[in-house]
């Protein structure tokens, strides 16, 4: 099951109001000026990666496709816009029949990107394409930030599984999107049931400190949990005294106890002590799960600890210090007339600062070296060189308004693992650095 099966992945009648007002005022002015039907090309890209990051991760593509399909101005939305005097009558009439009928190309979900990468390209009339700017950026900036953090944490964790546990640390709808993005970036499970329901992500969860505190003793709490969930459950052992809790846990559940969870203190030291104690008690197969405000650096610091899994919340759903990717949506080419077959003219913003952009409808390819390792992100506007034809990155996502690229979430997750593995080894270093690949413009 995924969002396509369930319909709109948020509890609103449409995604049409997930936009900024100026998208609508531009539309009104363009309709009046007669320029609204000019064929146009918009591109999503970022001018730089977040400080210290070596690659970005494309996430949210599937949610963008859902949002485009559900971008409809129904009666309630049109009535609201009329009452608020947002646009005039002719514009409301035009919006009543709005459907995106253009084409969208982009990096497939899970792929990596770099500064200047044309992550998504939206082609259609100016009117139909400009309206999608805000919702596309909202989704891609959030989801890609979480996926990038998840990817770094996945690298730090190695073969140890990661559990997403951030639902209580962000907006309730953002939590669902964050769990989805974390799964793309390498997490194995989520605690968020809405994410499990909507995207078929495996869910996990047992008990919190409140459950232990509810009972007259820790033994009573452990007994109640084991009686309900079985001996393979995970018992939380840091409410009072960790050593005593571990001893009680094994006595209650037996040596086949599934796992114990540690949520506070010096995790490195405590994990070693708990592992030794479990082994001495004959619970050699009982696993150790650690939580407690982890990020990729804390996870890396536990690499030598006898830890079997990590639970991550706050740092993950906030992008581990970088909650957005600073992606932008810019007009890069447009026709001089309303002729749908007319030639496209490159256009670009000129700026004295760092906000300039490059005009022209772009393609992108990742050039490998002799060993098959990526050595450059190549972006161009002319013909694709023959040697790069087999290494192009953009794929069709929407053709003439119809979605053509739906896929299971596991496909995006697997793609990310392959894409990351194809980068130079320095890409996975957690130390601060520049983008691991240069972007070459041809």
């Amino acid at each position: 099951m995924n969002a396509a099966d369930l319909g709109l992945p948020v509890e609103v009648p449409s995604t049409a109001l997930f936009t900024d007002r100026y998208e609508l005022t531009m539309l009104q002015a363009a309709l009046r000026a007669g320029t609204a039907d000019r064929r146009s090309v918009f591109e999503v890209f970022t001018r730089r990666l977040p400080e210290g990051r070596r690659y970005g991760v494309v996430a949210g593509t599937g949610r963008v496709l859902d949002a485009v399909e559900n971008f409809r101005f129904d009666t309630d939305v049109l009535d609201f816009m009329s009452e608020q005097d947002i646009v005039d009558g002719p514009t409301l009439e035009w919006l009543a029949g709005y459907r995106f009928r253009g084409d969208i190309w982009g990096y497939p979900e899970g792929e990596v990107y770099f500064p200047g990468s044309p992550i998504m390209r939206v082609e259609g009339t100016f009117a139909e394409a400009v309206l999608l700017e805000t919702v596309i950026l909202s989704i891609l900036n959030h989801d890609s930030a979480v996926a990038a953090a998840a990817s770094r944490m996945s690298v730090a964790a190695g073969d140890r599984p990661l559990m997403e546990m951030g639902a209580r640390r962000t907006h309730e709808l953002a939590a669902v999107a964050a769990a989805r993005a974390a799964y793309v970036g390498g997490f194995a499970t989520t605690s968020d049931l809405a994410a499990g329901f909507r995207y078929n992500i495996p869910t996990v969860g047992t008990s919190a400190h409140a459950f232990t505190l509810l009972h007259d003793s820790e033994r009573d709490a452990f007994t109640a949990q084991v009686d309900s969930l079985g001996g393979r459950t995970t018992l939380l052992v840091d409410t009072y005294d960790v050593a005593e809790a571990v001893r009680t846990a094994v006595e209650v559940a037996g040596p086949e106890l599934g796992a114990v969870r540690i949520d506070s203190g010096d995790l490195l030291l405590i994990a070693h002590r708990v592992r030794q104690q479990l082994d001495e008690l004959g619970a050699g197969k009982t696993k150790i799960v650690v939580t407690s405000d982890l990020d990729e650096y804390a996870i890396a610091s536990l690499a030598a600890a006898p830890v079997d899994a990590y639970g991550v919340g706050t740092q993950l759903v906030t992008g581990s210090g970088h909650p957005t990717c600073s992606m932008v949506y810019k007009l890069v080419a447009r026709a001089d007339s309303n002729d749908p077959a007319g030639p496209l003219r490159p256009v670009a913003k000129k700026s004295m600062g760092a906000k300039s952009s490059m005009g022209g409808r772009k393609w992108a390819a990742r050039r490998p070296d002799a060993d098959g390792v990526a050595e450059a992100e190549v972006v161009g506007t002319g013909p694709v060189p023959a040697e790069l034809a087999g290494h192009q990155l953009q794929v069709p996502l929407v053709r003439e308004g119809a979605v053509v690229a739906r896929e299971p979430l596991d496909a995006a997750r697997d793609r990310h693992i392959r894409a990351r593995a194809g980068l130079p080894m320095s890409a996975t270093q957690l130390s601060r650095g520049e983008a691991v690949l240069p972007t070459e413009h041809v």
Side-chain angles (χ1 to χ4, degrees):
M1 183 181 295
N2 56 36
D5 300 319
L6 296 169
L8 192 63
V10 286
E11 294 180 359
V12 294
S14 78
T15 53
L17 292 183
F18 287 177
T19 190
D20 292 303
R21 180 165 174 160
Y22 79 168
E23 314 289 10
L24 281 301
T25 55
M26 284 191 288
L27 169 66
Q28 176 179 307
L31 288 170
R32 184 171 297 185
T35 53
D37 288 332
R38 287 186 175 181
R39 183 180 166 212
S40 300
V41 179
F42 288 85
E43 287 178 349
V44 175
F45 63 93
T46 184
R47 297 182 176 95
R48 66 192 67 83
L49 296 178
E51 182 181 357
R53 296 288 170 86
R54 296 170 185 261
Y55 61 92
V57 181
V58 178
T61 308
R63 295 208 308 121
V64 167
L65 300 182
D66 292 335
V68 171
E69 279 192 335
N70 288 286
F71 205 91
R72 303 284 189 269
F73 292 84
D74 57 27
T75 301
D76 289 341
V77 170
L78 293 171
D79 288 347
F80 161 77
M81 294 174 65
S82 177
E83 292 167 2
Q84 297 295 316
D85 197 25
I86 293 172
V87 292
D88 61 17
T91 305
L92 289 173
E93 290 181 17
W94 188 92
L95 290 171
Y98 177 84
R99 299 290 186 274
F100 179 73
R101 297 180 174 87
D103 299 333
I104 300 179
W105 289 67
Y107 283 36
E109 191 158 18
E111 183 58 82
V112 297
Y113 70 87
F114 299 92
S117 296
I119 296 165
M120 187 168 286
R121 186 175 74 234
V122 180
E123 302 186 22
T125 66
F126 176 84
E128 64 182 354
V130 73
L131 294 182
L132 299 177
E133 174 182 5
T134 303
V135 71
I136 287 177
L137 289 180
S138 175
I139 292 170
L140 292 181
N141 269 311
H142 172 268
D143 290 22
S144 296
V146 174
S151 179
R152 287 164 59 84
M153 294 174 188
S154 177
V155 168
D159 294 332
R160 298 170 178 176
L162 290 158
M163 300 173 286
E164 185 279 316
M165 305 169 65
R168 292 168 293 166
R169 298 293 185 263
T170 188
H171 185 279
E172 66 272 19
L173 295 181
V176 181
R180 182 186 184 282
Y183 191 72
V184 171
F187 274 58
T189 55
T190 179
S191 67
D192 191 277
L193 290 180
F197 174 69
R198 296 179 185 185
Y199 301 117
N200 202 31
I201 301 170
T203 60
V204 293
T206 51
S207 68
H209 295 100
F211 185 76
T212 301
L213 296 170
L214 167 69
H215 291 81
D216 295 337
S217 69
E218 198 166 46
R219 180 179 293 274
D220 289 345
F222 289 171
T223 299
Q225 183 173 328
V226 170
D227 286 347
S228 174
L229 301 178
R232 300 300 300 168
T233 190
T234 298
L235 296 175
L236 181 59
V237 295
D238 72 330
T239 305
Y240 305 118
D241 178 84
V242 173
E244 181 62 29
V246 170
R247 186 177 303 107
T248 301
V250 175
E251 289 176 358
V252 169
E256 298 302 314
L257 171 64
V260 296
R261 178 163 75 95
I262 306 166
D263 188 53
S264 60
D266 184 336
L267 298 179
L268 178 63
L269 175 62
I270 296 174
H272 277 286
R273 288 178 174 174
V274 168
R275 180 73 271 157
Q276 180 179 352
Q277 185 180 8
L278 287 169
D279 292 345
E280 291 172 351
L281 292 171
K285 295 182 180 180
T286 299
K287 296 181 178 181
I288 297 175
V289 178
V290 295
T291 50
S292 189
D293 206 25
L294 300 175
D295 63 9
E296 60 264 50
Y297 301 105
I299 292 169
S301 73
L302 293 168
V307 171
D308 297 286
Y310 306 93
V312 189
T314 303
Q315 293 300 318
L316 174 65
V317 298
T318 57
S320 195
H322 298 290
T324 182
C325 302
S326 299
M327 293 179 187
V328 295
Y329 185 96
K330 295 299 181 183
L331 181 67
V332 297
R334 54 90 170 171
D336 288 331
S337 71
N338 292 340
D339 181 359
L344 292 171
R345 171 204 297 268
V347 294
K349 173 184 176 180
K350 296 185 183 298
S351 174
M352 296 298 290
K355 284 193 168 185
S356 61
S357 57
M358 292 185 61
R361 181 180 185 272
K362 300 175 192 68
W363 53 264
R366 189 162 298 143
R367 188 176 68 235
D369 64 15
D371 296 318
V373 178
E375 65 176 11
E377 193 90 339
V378 185
V379 177
T381 56
V384 180
E387 66 273 15
L388 294 177
H391 301 285
Q392 294 186 74
L393 294 162
Q394 295 157 312
V395 299
L397 302 172
V398 175
R399 282 183 173 149
E400 297 181 352
V403 173
V404 296
R406 290 214 187 278
E407 62 181 5
L409 195 57
D410 280 328
R413 175 184 170 88
D414 293 343
R415 181 180 297 112
H416 177 61
I417 294 172
R418 294 193 303 271
R420 190 175 63 197
L423 298 176
M425 291 184 64
S426 57
T428 56
Q429 292 177 344
L430 294 181
S431 58
R432 292 184 177 274
E434 300 298 319
V436 71
L437 294 186
T439 303
E440 299 177 0
H441 295 276
V442 298

